[in-house]
Amino acid sequence: MAGELRVSEDAEFDMLAALGRDLPGAVIATPADEVPLSALALFGEGVADHVSRHIGQTVEKFSLSGVQLKFSVLRNSQRRYVLAGDSETGDIILKPPHPAFPHLPENEYSSMRLAQLAGVDTPEFWLVDPSELAVPALKGLEGTIYAIRRFDRAGSERVHIEDFAQVLGIRAANKYGDTNYDTILRIIMNRTRNGLLDARQLVRRLVVNILIGNGDAHIKNFSLIYHDPQHPDLAPAYDIVSTIQYLPQDQSMALNMAGERQVADITIASFEKLERRVGLLRPAQLAREARQTVQRALDRWSTELSSLPMEEGHKEVIRERLRSLPITRL
């Protein structure tokens, strides 16, 4: 994006001006008619011209954060994936292959499918051949592309979302260290429309992340969604990936859970401890959900794994985790 706009990679407001109509959730960012006095004080009288030069100068609307390249698209009348125009919003996120992480789209597709089988709510997702793209910047791309339906779009309507970094007021740079899963669970129980159901859904995701070896489930990978503007729900799951395939030495969760972080220390009893820490009065609700989620994985994954597009070595890593992790000893 910085290259397209011919600005520094730190020129965040220039990029926001170009991308602001297709941001996550119901937020639209457009340049003000008048430059705020604070901006003038910092940047001088030339700031308005500097920003306005770049508005509308690019069609590459890559607007979602994260290490992996993601961008918002829609499908045109020829069923090709195209970038949204100035008056449009994309309803699909595409993630191309990553040069440093082989078979990442297949990994994410397979990980999300395993999560579904364990009872996790997900949006629609699928794999795309590069021949279906009509994105000039990716001409000649090789390898399968991961696609997922945007749950913050409903036709032409924008549905607002907040990830938990926004909910807690934590900067993205601190997404691994300034909170824990206990806090996320407590907020979900106390603030969403269906607190206990959403809490059980979060437990399913925590169990799946342990089983597949997803050490990157940080606070920005959990969100609230506002179908009702004042009363949120837990948003569907996204960014579930078996990161252990690329970082085999990382045997920890992204955040602490009930005082534990190493997966070798987490058992079903850890979820009983989690219940006590968040003040859940119904006995063993979360521990029972964790046990049932593990059982669904043991019952369903072995058959499904053989047919998934995940690399064979990656499948064997997950099979071994199902055989050996303490949490699977029911």
Side-chain angles (χ1 to χ4, degrees):
M1 282 308 309
E4 287 284 332
L5 294 171
R6 295 188 176 92
V7 297
S8 163
E9 292 183 12
D10 296 325
E12 295 175 346
F13 279 93
D14 296 272
M15 288 189 269
L16 185 60
L19 303 171
R21 294 187 180 276
D22 201 18
L23 298 172
V27 174
I28 299 173
T30 57
D33 292 335
E34 296 183 6
V35 178
L37 293 177
S38 59
L40 287 173
L42 283 172
F43 301 111
E45 293 290 343
V47 65
D49 290 338
H50 179 65
V51 172
S52 65
R53 280 202 308 271
H54 303 296
I55 297 170
Q57 296 298 308
T58 176
V59 295
E60 306 290 358
K61 297 185 180 298
F62 301 168
S63 59
L64 300 182
S65 63
V67 172
Q68 186 183 5
L69 174 64
K70 311 172 187 180
F71 57 100
S72 178
V73 299
L74 49 83
R75 298 190 81 175
N76 64 15
S77 57
Q78 289 78 45
R79 309 300 291 168
R80 305 279 305 281
Y81 295 91
V82 298
L83 294 163
D86 287 340
S87 62
E88 302 169 309
T89 60
D91 61 350
I92 298 166
I93 298 297
L94 295 187
K95 297 184 183 182
H98 195 293
F101 304 116
H103 309 290
L104 185 55
E106 293 89 346
N107 180 331
E108 185 163 359
Y109 173 92
S110 300
S111 297
M112 290 283 285
R113 177 59 183 150
L114 294 175
Q116 274 188 333
L117 291 169
V120 172
D121 293 335
T122 73
E124 180 188 9
F125 57 90
W126 62 98
L127 294 175
V128 172
D129 188 275
S131 64
E132 299 177 69
L133 287 182
V135 181
L138 296 178
K139 187 176 182 179
L141 179 72
E142 296 182 357
T144 305
I145 299 163
Y146 176 75
I148 186 167
R149 185 76 60 188
R150 290 183 66 164
F151 50 77
D152 62 339
R153 298 290 182 262
S156 61
E157 298 296 317
R158 302 167 189 258
V159 182
H160 193 55
I161 58 171
E162 293 177 311
D163 67 42
F164 270 86
Q166 294 169 293
V167 171
L168 293 166
I170 295 173
R171 292 182 66 85
N174 300 322
K175 61 189 178 184
Y176 295 102
D178 280 7
T179 190
N180 51 41
Y181 293 124
D182 309 28
T183 299
I184 293 174
L185 178 64
R186 193 176 292 112
I187 291 170
I188 287 170
M189 287 173 48
N190 293 329
R191 297 297 183 184
T192 68
R193 291 189 296 180
N194 299 291
L196 184 56
L197 289 176
D198 284 343
R200 291 170 59 189
Q201 178 64 211
L202 179 67
V203 166
R204 295 180 190 181
R205 298 181 196 183
L206 296 178
V207 169
V208 165
N209 287 330
I210 292 168
L211 295 179
I212 68 170
N214 179 14
D216 198 42
H218 52 71
I219 55 174
K220 290 184 69 63
N221 285 344
F222 299 90
S223 292
L224 298 179
I225 186 167
Y226 288 81
H227 298 293
D228 175 334
Q230 296 188 15
H231 302 96
D233 302 296
L234 180 63
Y238 56 95
D239 287 357
I240 294 179
V241 180
S242 180
T243 61
I244 195 75
Q245 314 294 352
Y246 312 109
L247 300 167
Q249 74 282 3
D250 183 10
Q251 298 290 334
S252 65
M253 303 178 75
L255 305 173
N256 284 357
M257 188 199 84
E260 306 289 354
R261 197 158 190 163
Q262 299 298 315
V263 295
D265 298 327
I266 297 175
T267 66
I268 297 299
S270 302
F271 288 89
E272 296 175 357
K273 182 180 178 181
L274 179 63
E275 289 175 318
R276 294 192 294 271
R277 288 170 70 105
V278 301
L280 187 63
L281 299 179
R282 295 179 176 86
Q285 286 276 306
L286 302 187
R288 181 162 57 249
E289 191 65 51
R291 184 178 292 106
Q292 291 172 346
T293 303
V294 171
Q295 192 62 61
R296 280 192 293 269
L298 294 173
D299 292 343
R300 300 174 182 177
W301 285 9
S302 58
T303 301
E304 183 76 11
L305 264 172
S306 60
S307 62
L308 289 174
M310 178 180 277
E311 198 268 336
E312 287 300 321
H314 293 182
K315 295 178 184 179
E316 188 51 41
V317 169
I318 293 177
R319 292 189 183 103
E320 176 56 30
R321 293 177 72 82
L322 294 177
R323 291 190 290 264
S324 63
L325 284 176
I327 197 173
T328 63
R329 299 168 195 158
L330 301 178

